């Protein structure tokens, strides 16, 4: 258990200054508040009455931590947070964590040092414990697109497993039995959750997952193409495919088409996220909608208004039926 | 001509403090420097020896002003600037200008107030004069994707008209004579430049632009669909199409396909930007490549390293030949 002396030492200030920060004295410089609060968080220091630091200190910004900058998913997420920032007359300070625990923590510390006290974070690499420690001290800290047990009030998340369950069920309902799955290599919670939904739907239909049906590939444009190539190489009687995201689905569809396997006539495909403008696709992609912009808006509101605002934190995925799924034909 | 007194008054400081800022005294707080510099800029105050404020004050950030957050174009732009920021151990402060002159200026003032002295800006709405005034005082201010005469050293831009010239020429070389053009409604310099390139190529081939061939539509997913619908409504013998950007091209291709006009058999199409992953497209889109990530990297380097670094500022568009253009068939 750390003491006020530890905090003072770590922050390079006197214990009197730490007291002033805890008691929200107006005489302390914002930089000093930031330094002291960061030291408290890092040391896990608890004030006697377990007092939270006040929301909306550090005033005119919202901090946003993304995993990367270049994807429509994060574009929509940023757009959502910015809508709220604009409403509150705030600007965004943005940093990226690149799915790396150290970079995520660095980004967070950077925003804290900038005096940012309202932070929306897309964290996939820092541990639950680390995030809970920050959340317990910083009511304006909200995790978006991840469920962290122990800080439910400061999370906005999607029921991922339900999404792939719906996708797989939709294919089963169309008579498909040999359903492949494209997963990602990155060990993030969504990976396990989405796979679980796929597995559950199959099991309910009396089908055990065939490991040969499952491909794990890197994120990015080439992942889906690689997965499709691998599935083709194995020459399995697969008639349908659930993809971890729309990118994998889109790239796979092209590779199958190049090999004379057209969608949906010979292969039915369901994506995930619904972040790609449908104007590109022939056939238009049946997918599971993740309402990421809406989730980001709710996360930003939660971050600025506090959890008393009563915004929804748990989001349901929705199956969006378009043209990439057809009835299975017995071969 | 404004005086040191005007600046002091506007910034709410003494003339002695303004002097200290001009002489780069280390005793002035960063917030005060920011306030004084901003007052200087707004008043157009010139120091006696026309001394520029120093590069790399305001230290650990790069400011980035985008037009919006949700597009692959701005995703790539942000990614480029972040690569340089990372190299220099800096973080990004990001704001958006939404193609609106007041919002652009507000975003700029916000970053200046944050003490940001290295700023990469995607400005389409503020006037040349406004930008030149900022640039003359702030060597770390760089405009990306726009040529502003009078501040060439602090701009990184693309030869836009050459891009549409190449696109149109490519279609003419394939025997097309009736070539439509999808333009945007927004009155930005790129619009005039890109249209000029289209017009020039046609005129060199002895063809005058038929106003019926040209559609001006709003940015966004629906713009291209609207343009295609309008062109179909007019029932013209158009065999080819140049689009202001890839989004317009992609959406138009879908609408034409829905009406039985397949690309490239019955219609050849060339896009612009090359920011869409090709894995989506059938046929893969022939387009003009705008190297926006590379331009952003150069802009950020120019912004941090200064124009002595000798980075390229003028970029050439390149025609990327894929599968959406075919020889014209006489009907």
């Amino acid at each position: 258990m750390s003491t006020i002396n530890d905090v003072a030492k770590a922050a390079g200030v006197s214990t009197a200054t730490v007291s002033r920060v805890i008691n929200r004295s107006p005489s302390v410089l914002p930089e000093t508040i930031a330094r002291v609060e960061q030291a408290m968080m890092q040391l896990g220091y608890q004030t006697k009455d377990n007092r939270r630091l006040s929301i909306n200190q550090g005033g005119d910004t919202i901090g946003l931590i993304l995993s990367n900058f270049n994807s429509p998913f994060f574009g929509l997420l940023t757009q959502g947070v910015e809508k709220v920032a604009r409403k509150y007359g705030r600007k965004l300070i943005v940093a990226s964590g690149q799915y790396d625990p150290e970079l995520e923590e660095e980004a967070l510390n950077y925003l804290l040092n900038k005096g940012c006290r309202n932070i929306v974070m897309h964290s996939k690499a820092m541990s639950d414990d680390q995030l809970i420690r920050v959340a317990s001290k910083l009511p304006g800290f909200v995790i978006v697109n991840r469920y962290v047990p122990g800080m439910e009030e400061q999370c906005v998340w999607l029921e991922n497993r339900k999404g792939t369950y719906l996708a797989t069920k939709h294919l089963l309902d169309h008579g498909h039995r040999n359903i492949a799955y494209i997963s990602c290599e990155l060990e993030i919670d969504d990976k396990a959750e989405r796979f679980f939904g796929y597995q559950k739907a199959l099991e309910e239909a009396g089908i055990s997952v065939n490991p040969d049906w499952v491909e794990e590939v890197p994120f990015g444009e080439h992942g889906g193409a690689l997965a499709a190539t691998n599935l083709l190489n194995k020459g399995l009687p697969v008639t349908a495919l659930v993809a971890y995201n729309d990118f994998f689905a889109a790239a796979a569809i092209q590779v199958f088409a190049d090999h004379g396997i057209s969608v949906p006539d010979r292969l039915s495909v369901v994506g995930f996220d619904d972040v790609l403008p449908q104007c590109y696709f022939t056939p238009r992609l049946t997918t599971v909608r993740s309402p990421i912009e809406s989730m980001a808006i709710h996360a930003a509101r939660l971050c600025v208004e506090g959890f008393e605002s009563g915004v929804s934190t748990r989001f349901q995925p929705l199956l969006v039926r378009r043209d990439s799924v057809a009835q299975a034909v017995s071969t």
Side-chain angles (χ1 to χ4, degrees), chain A:
Chain A
M1 179 84 184
S2 59
T3 67
I4 195 167
N5 286 309
D6 300 331
V7 174
K9 204 172 153 194
V13 300
S14 68
T15 52
T17 300
V18 176
S19 282
R20 278 195 290 271
V21 171
I22 293 169
N23 295 307
R24 295 175 202 161
S25 154
S27 69
V28 194
L29 286 173
E31 291 77 9
T32 311
I33 296 175
R35 222 159 59 229
V36 171
E37 288 183 359
Q38 202 192 331
M40 284 178 174
M41 261 179 275
Q42 281 168 349
L43 296 167
Y45 175 80
Q46 300 283 327
T47 51
K48 280 201 195 99
D49 54 355
N50 201 19
R51 188 182 313 186
R52 280 158 174 268
L53 296 168
S54 68
I55 212 162
N56 289 337
Q57 280 180 338
D60 64 346
T61 60
I62 295 179
L64 173 63
I65 300 171
L66 305 170
S67 296
N68 67 59
F69 288 118
N70 182 29
S71 93
F73 184 85
F74 291 111
L76 286 165
L77 201 165
T78 307
Q79 183 169 279
V81 174
E82 202 215 12
K83 281 182 183 167
V84 177
R86 198 172 284 281
K87 184 178 152 198
Y88 281 90
R90 306 220 190 174
K91 292 283 183 238
L92 292 186
I93 303 192
V94 182
S96 82
Q98 309 284 343
Y99 298 103
D100 177 294
E102 280 173 27
L103 290 177
E104 284 189 358
E105 198 175 354
E106 186 192 304
L108 186 55
N109 286 335
Y110 167 81
L111 293 179
L112 292 170
N113 281 329
K114 280 274 160 209
C116 220
R117 289 297 166 270
N118 299 99
I119 298 174
V120 175
M121 183 168 190
H122 190 269
S123 169
K124 290 293 172 188
M126 280 173 71
S127 70
D128 285 3
D129 284 350
Q130 281 180 300
L131 297 173
I132 289 167
R133 214 173 305 138
V134 179
S136 69
K137 282 291 170 188
L138 195 64
F141 178 65
V142 175
I143 295 293
V144 64
N145 200 33
R146 171 170 166 187
Y147 172 72
V148 184
M151 57 173 286
E152 294 84 351
E153 282 173 334
Q154 285 163 259
C155 290
V156 173
W157 73 95
L158 181 74
E159 295 273 321
N160 268 299
R161 62 172 73 181
K162 193 178 166 191
T164 38
Y165 176 84
L166 291 172
T168 312
K169 187 84 170 46
H170 184 60
L171 292 167
L172 290 162
D173 290 346
H174 281 75
H176 296 280
R177 306 277 299 169
N178 297 323
I179 303 172
Y181 183 74
I182 304 182
S183 185
C184 65
E185 278 182 356
L186 211 59
E187 294 303 330
I188 57 180
D189 58 342
D190 313 48
K191 175 184 175 172
E193 288 290 312
R194 293 189 186 181
F195 183 75
F196 185 86
Y198 159 74
Q199 193 176 27
K200 183 160 176 272
L202 287 184
E203 282 174 0
E204 281 182 13
I207 303 170
S208 357
V209 172
N210 177 344
D212 273 349
W213 293 344
V214 181
E215 286 294 329
E216 290 186 4
V217 287
F219 275 139
E221 201 180 336
H222 302 296
L226 177 62
T229 310
N230 289 347
L231 287 169
L232 282 164
N233 283 142
K234 287 188 257 184
L236 303 165
V238 158
T239 65
L241 173 66
V242 175
Y244 177 89
N245 64 30
D246 293 342
F247 285 92
F248 287 165
I253 286 172
Q254 292 300 316
V255 171
F256 283 112
D258 287 347
H259 289 81
I261 297 170
S262 71
V263 173
D265 308 335
R266 292 196 44 207
L267 185 77
S268 289
V269 177
V270 185
F272 203 117
D273 283 341
D274 199 23
V275 291
L276 300 179
Q278 282 310 307
C279 67
Y280 309 155
F281 285 103
T282 315
R284 295 184 317 139
L285 189 67
T286 294
T287 189
V288 174
R289 185 169 168 74
S290 159
I292 187 60
E293 184 178 357
S294 179
M295 286 164 67
I297 288 172
H298 282 71
R301 281 189 55 201
L302 194 60
C303 162
V304 179
E305 298 169 9
F307 53 85
E308 299 82 359
S309 64
V311 301
S312 304
T313 52
R314 181 171 138 178
F315 281 72
Q316 301 295 325
L318 229 74
L319 183 73
V320 182
R321 290 153 204 249
R322 298 204 184 95
D323 311 325
S324 62
V325 172
Q327 206 64 31
V329 195
S330 34
T331 47

